[in-house]
Amino acid sequence: MPGLQDLTIDELADEFEFLGQWDDQCRYLIELGGELPDLALEEKSEANRVPGCQSQVWFVPQVHEDPAGTTIEIRAKSDAHIVDGLIVVLLTLVNGKTPEEILKTDFTAAFKRLGLEAHLVPQRRNGLYSMVERVRAIARVHAPTDGKHPSPDPFDAVNGSHTSSSSSPRTSETRAVRPSLPVAERAATFDVSAVRAQFPALHQVLERGVPVTYLDTASSAQKPQCVIDKEREVYEQYYANAYRGVYRYGDRISRELEESRERIRRFIGAESTDEIIFTPGTTAGINLVANAWGRRFLKPGDEIVLNEMEHHANIVPWQWIAQQTGAVLTYVPLTDDGRIDLEAFGKALTSRSRIVAVTGMSNVLGTAPPLTELIAKAKAAGALVLVDGAQSVPHMPTHVVQDGIDFLAFSGHKLYGPSGVGVLYGRRELLDAMDPFLCGGHMIERVQTDGFAVAPLPAKFEAGTLPIAQAIALGTAVEFVTDLGFCPVHEHEQSLLRHAWDQMHKIPGLRIYGPDTSHRGAIVSFTMDGAAAQDIAQLLDLKGVFVRHGHHCTMPLHTRLGVPATVRASFGLYNTREDVDTFIDALHFARRELKLS
Ligand code: PMP
């Protein structure tokens, strides 16, 4: 083996090819790393430390000025042999080169050639790209200033005290991808029996042979077999904690999580997976924004704009943060048919409006507010927009970039995915500027007894152990919905809604709340004169029809509607016209039992 200083990337590539298997290549990297000379103690300083690496890594650059030009030589060392091996690889691409050559080097291609892109676990790959960033920063400082490579303050990249992801390896260069086509634009046909066949819980048979008619999808959706299988696969085949172990199970888990994150990114049209934060659900996502953004940016007298139909999850966190910060809440009233009063919305916006928090679809009225119009008005007033996508994301296309959404929160369990996991999307600049919310493991880059530095996105907001199998299976759920296509799904759900709507209007004393079918998703909340909501729900259950009753976590809305409770039937992509007919028959049955007719 040639001395390290003479080793070339071609020789390394030959050796890797000769070894063939990752096991052997990995041992070779460790062996190479073992030969990397150590640095002096004083060189392992904070100023020389490379931020963004899981291991401790120090770079000591030397610049050689000679008549032929300026060349760079880096001596480096880490606290792990495998990382030292990666340093050796990296330095074959750097040492003895001019700054311009370094800046032109395609590091990714070189790493791919060795198979490193495929085999390194995500945190190690991120660490490697942090080193690349550091190398580039050093080269930029010494490159002739021709306007193309502005010379930054080298200490930006050196002192490591700044941990925003703009200096992380996850720059637009390495991670950001253009938003894909909105799923709604894909054409597909919809075969409801084939879809329904994939949901085992819908095929259970109750006592006396009564089938299940599940009309509570707005509360939580049933799961297709592929989602159930995926979660099971994780536990049975490769379960481990995520973003921690370099062993194979840990590596597989981290990759599967990143794949899920990427599917979700595409699904909502985000620019980068760094903007996709796994949370426990919608409630947790909104609390995160209210606390991490609100505490930092809301001042006394700033306005948080809500409306009367919001779920408690999109009211109470704001009430709480308003109490803490002195901000005030403004509630936009609803029209009598349960829509946001657009004129009142316009008037509610002032120069003090900081954020508009609005549902993508009401979980009671089914109202789908005209987000484009609301967002344009909010933006014109200088306010950010958070969309509570708990009900909308599973049923209609969302494209955060095209729609101009700043924050989007949604839950896996309503999206035909597992419970216990959800997503918060946030625009990168906003997430970068926010303080962390929960603190602990994984969200840090470095901890000392007297302080800590936060990790880059998305880890910054993912403290502690994630709901691992759930977050992975959420990616499967997203793929399931994406493959069906929102166009046919939406059309199917709307036809169920219209069928239910027509039949329900024929039932005496039944009152449906909210707008007509052209302004709502497939959710119908109603009351029947002379019957308590709970009694109706209970009697429907006798016929195997599962609906929810109560205030549905929207007490202010029920106050506005003037009723303490409603019964809600909500439809999902697996419901059929027969489900609607069974529901209508069951309503007639309830009326007879309650002697209403
Ligand atoms: N917002 C809306 C509109 C909802 O329907 C729900 C769930 N009912 C939530 C927020 C809260 O979702 P989760 O309980 O999954 O956090």
Side-chain angles (χ1 to χ4, degrees):
M1 192 161 70
L4 287 187
Q5 67 281 10
D6 302 322
L7 198 60
T8 67
I9 192 73
D10 292 333
E11 284 160 347
L12 275 177
D14 286 349
E15 190 66 26
F16 268 66
E17 196 184 342
F18 169 75
L19 293 170
Q21 298 289 322
W22 171 241
D23 290 17
D24 294 330
Q25 294 165 342
C26 188
R27 283 210 297 273
Y28 175 57
L29 271 178
I30 292 171
E31 199 184 311
L32 276 179
E35 292 183 20
L36 189 69
D38 207 352
L39 296 173
L41 199 58
E42 63 277 11
E43 289 177 313
K44 294 182 177 176
S45 63
E46 192 52 26
N48 285 337
R49 204 179 66 81
V50 180
C53 301
Q54 211 187 19
S55 307
Q56 302 259 64
V57 178
W58 300 270
F59 273 22
V60 183
Q62 285 168 329
V63 180
H64 300 289
E65 308 275 1
D66 57 47
T70 304
T71 54
I72 287 180
E73 203 75 36
I74 295 174
R75 288 186 301 116
K77 190 72 184 166
S78 82
D79 56 3
H81 278 2
I82 176 109
V83 180
D84 283 344
L86 293 172
I87 291 173
V88 171
V89 172
L90 177 64
L91 295 187
T92 62
L93 299 163
V94 172
N95 280 350
K97 303 268 165 50
T98 65
E100 297 93 318
E101 285 170 331
I102 293 172
L103 289 170
K104 279 191 207 134
T105 301
D106 186 345
F107 291 94
T108 307
F111 300 150
K112 273 197 183 134
R113 190 174 165 207
L114 300 187
L116 296 178
E117 279 281 313
H119 286 116
L120 292 180
V121 295
Q123 65 268 42
R124 188 141 281 156
R125 200 162 47 234
N126 286 340
L128 179 58
Y129 280 103
S130 294
M131 293 193 257
V132 170
E133 278 302 301
R134 177 60 176 274
V135 163
R136 286 190 171 138
I138 292 166
R140 274 194 293 271
V141 171
H142 298 286
T145 40
D146 57 0
K148 279 190 216 135
H149 305 298
S151 256
D153 173 357
F155 289 94
D156 270 0
V158 168
N159 65 21
S161 61
H162 177 67
T163 58
S164 94
S165 68
S166 56
S167 65
S168 85
R170 291 174 158 176
T171 57
S172 53
E173 208 175 331
T174 54
R175 300 291 301 276
V177 202
R178 290 299 311 146
S180 53
L181 254 192
V183 262
E185 287 173 21
R186 299 186 193 176
T189 51
F190 192 76
D191 175 356
V192 66
S193 11
V195 170
R196 189 182 174 88
Q198 298 177 55
F199 288 82
L202 299 177
H203 301 287
Q204 299 296 313
V205 177
L206 307 170
E207 319 83 78
R208 291 187 291 278
V210 174
V212 168
T213 304
Y214 190 76
L215 300 183
D216 200 19
T217 296
S219 197
S220 206
Q222 294 299 337
K223 319 302 170 201
Q225 193 63 52
C226 59
V227 169
I228 299 167
D229 288 349
K230 188 68 190 183
E231 231 185 289
R232 194 188 171 98
E233 173 191 295
V234 172
Y235 288 126
E236 285 184 350
Q237 296 183 26
Y238 46 86
Y239 179 76
N241 209 329
Y243 307 125
R244 284 155 173 81
V246 294
Y247 53 87
R248 265 157 276 192
Y249 281 10
D251 176 31
R252 172 88 187 260
I253 282 285
S254 305
R255 282 169 199 278
E256 294 268 348
L257 272 169
E258 286 313 294
E259 199 170 303
S260 173
R261 213 188 283 277
E262 167 58 17
R263 286 174 173 184
I264 295 163
R265 180 201 69 74
R266 263 187 271 133
F267 181 62
I268 61 166
E271 283 195 334
S272 162
T273 46
D274 290 353
E275 299 172 318
I276 306 296
I277 315 288
F278 285 120
T279 64
T282 308
T283 306
I286 299 173
N287 272 276
L288 192 164
V289 177
N291 281 275
W293 174 83
R295 239 177 251 286
R296 177 81 183 258
F297 294 107
L298 288 173
K299 303 270 174 309
D302 283 349
E303 293 157 6
I304 301 164
V305 181
L306 304 174
N307 68 79
E308 293 178 322
M309 73 170 116
E310 294 304 321
H311 188 281
H312 296 166
N314 202 22
I315 295 179
V316 185
W318 298 113
Q319 290 177 329
W320 175 244
I321 212 69
Q323 278 176 32
Q324 314 284 309
T325 60
V328 291
L329 303 178
T330 308
Y331 288 92
V332 178
L334 300 183
T335 59
D336 287 340
D337 69 345
R339 292 194 278 156
I340 293 177
D341 184 330
L342 290 177
E343 209 185 310
F345 179 74
K347 286 190 187 141
L349 291 167
T350 76
S351 59
R352 296 303 305 268
S353 303
R354 294 286 171 263
I355 192 161
V356 173
V358 62
T359 187
M361 188 194 292
S362 157
N363 63 317
V364 174
L365 306 174
T367 311
L371 286 185
T372 314
E373 206 171 332
L374 297 181
I375 292 171
K377 285 189 171 164
K379 292 276 148 96
L384 298 177
V385 177
L386 173 141
V387 173
D388 170 353
Q391 299 296 341
S392 56
V393 167
H395 299 281
M396 52 207 268
T398 308
H399 198 298
V400 288
V401 172
Q402 284 170 14
D403 298 346
I405 294 170
D406 296 301
F407 295 109
L408 173 75
F410 57 98
S411 304
H413 69 100
K414 294 183 203 276
L415 182 51
Y416 309 98
S419 56
V421 67
V423 170
L424 173 72
Y425 158 81
R427 221 160 22 87
R428 179 196 283 277
E429 307 88 273
L430 300 170
L431 294 177
D432 272 342
M434 282 154 59
D435 288 328
F437 175 37
L438 298 178
C439 295
H442 190 57
M443 53 70 68
I444 45 79
E445 180 168 295
R446 203 158 26 95
V447 182
Q448 291 140 217
T449 49
D450 59 351
F452 68 95
V454 279
L457 295 172
K460 174 178 176 182
F461 293 109
E462 290 182 348
T465 296
L466 286 176
I468 296 163
Q470 292 79 358
I472 291 171
L474 176 56
T476 308
V478 158
E479 211 61 3
F480 174 79
V481 175
T482 305
D483 285 348
L484 290 176
F486 268 125
C487 265
V489 165
H490 184 68
E491 222 166 84
H492 170 70
E493 291 178 354
Q494 286 295 307
S495 87
L496 296 177
L497 171 69
R498 285 192 298 271
H499 183 45
W501 185 268
D502 293 343
Q503 302 305 308
M504 289 170 83
H505 274 100
K506 293 180 192 158
I507 299 177
L510 187 148
R511 174 158 183 216
I512 298 177
Y513 297 88
D516 64 37
T517 53
S518 59
H519 291 104
R520 64 158 74 209
I523 293 176
V524 240
S525 294
F526 61 96
T527 52
M528 276 206 297
D529 289 347
Q534 184 171 354
D535 290 340
I536 300 169
Q538 198 66 68
L539 287 164
L540 294 194
D541 174 62
L542 297 183
K543 293 292 181 185
V545 177
F546 298 166
V547 293
R548 184 169 163 192
H549 73 281
H551 54 66
H552 314 294
C553 299
T554 56
M555 283 185 185
L557 173 62
H558 278 75
T559 304
R560 169 72 171 87
L561 299 176
V563 286
T566 50
V567 183
R568 178 182 70 188
S570 55
F571 304 94
L573 45 76
Y574 37 58
N575 287 119
T576 59
R577 210 173 152 85
E578 292 72 47
D579 284 340
V580 176
D581 293 336
T582 307
F583 166 54
I584 299 297
D585 288 348
L587 285 176
H588 287 295
F589 162 76
R591 280 177 51 75
R592 285 196 299 278
E593 290 297 307
L594 294 168
K595 314 221 176 328
L596 296 179
S597 38

